[in-house]
Amino acid sequence: MALSRLDNLYRQVILDHSSHPHHHGVLDEASTQIEMNNPTCGDVIQLQLVLDEDDVIQDIRFSGSGCSISTASASMMTDVVIGQPISKALELSHQFSELVLGKDVEELDALGDAAMLGGVAKFPARIKCATLGWKALEKGLIEKQATTVEQASHCDSEKE
Ligand code: ZN
């Protein structure tokens, strides 16, 4: 009984995110832009990131077309990674991947509403829907990190 009520609550939160996704839209200027798709379901996401000079995610937006799981998951992802440095965002993304694979996650609270997507583990066909936004995030951050390292080594001689 209690369990089904909990399931209903989760379903409601997931529905809220998919029908009114957070940070949905397109920015005029972004540091990084990534497009990714999930051919098994037909989900497409365009993700934009604005990173400041300390590599903190200042702003984030996503658009595209996806099923309710992919949209809800992307919306939940934007909520938890905004304001986070690249390293922390990558760690959260890793934790989320573990969660939807049915593994134990130590800091479940850090995933915010995305923690409610743990049940996706029971539906293997939907796992790629749930991880799409996060994979796009990872790709964007890893690309940004690579260019930052390049710039840093380039500027080494200018440091005091
Ligand atoms: Zn999907």
Side-chain angles (χ1 to χ4, degrees):
M1 198 63 158
L3 193 67
S4 80
R5 222 175 279 151
L6 200 62
D7 276 350
N8 279 335
L9 169 74
Y10 286 6
R11 205 170 297 139
Q12 192 55 50
V13 173
I14 293 166
L15 270 174
D16 282 349
H17 275 277
S18 66
S19 50
H20 305 287
H22 303 171
H23 309 103
H24 191 262
V26 178
L27 295 166
D28 289 336
E29 277 186 57
S31 326
T32 310
Q33 196 156 324
I34 313 99
E35 180 170 311
M36 215 176 241
N37 68 339
N38 168 26
T40 55
C41 177
D43 311 315
V44 181
I45 188 171
Q46 285 99 28
L47 182 70
Q48 291 179 305
L49 298 165
V50 177
L51 292 137
D52 67 11
E53 57 265 39
D54 296 322
D55 283 340
V56 170
I57 301 172
Q58 287 292 317
D59 210 349
I60 185 163
R61 287 287 186 285
F62 78 100
S63 55
S65 63
C67 65
S68 50
I69 296 281
S70 74
T71 304
S73 184
S75 172
M76 293 161 169
M77 177 274 287
T78 61
D79 281 350
V80 290
V81 302
I82 196 162
Q84 300 289 352
I86 289 181
S87 54
K88 180 70 184 173
L90 286 173
E91 191 192 309
L92 289 167
S93 183
H94 177 72
Q95 300 263 312
F96 182 77
S97 298
E98 300 275 288
L99 176 75
V100 294
L101 288 172
K103 295 181 188 163
D104 286 332
V105 171
E106 276 174 36
E107 289 177 89
L108 201 55
D109 287 349
L111 289 174
D113 287 351
M116 295 187 188
L117 286 175
V120 169
K122 283 179 263 171
F123 307 95
R126 310 310 298 276
I127 292 173
K128 281 186 176 160
C129 301
T131 55
L132 182 66
W134 297 80
K135 292 293 169 199
L137 172 77
E138 279 181 25
K139 186 166 183 254
L141 294 179
I142 289 165
E143 275 173 15
K144 181 65 175 51
Q145 248 179 352
T147 56
T148 308
V149 169
E150 236 168 67
Q151 280 164 4
S153 61
H154 194 70
C155 296
D156 253 1
S157 53
E158 290 165 30
K159 279 197 184 137
E160 304 120 281

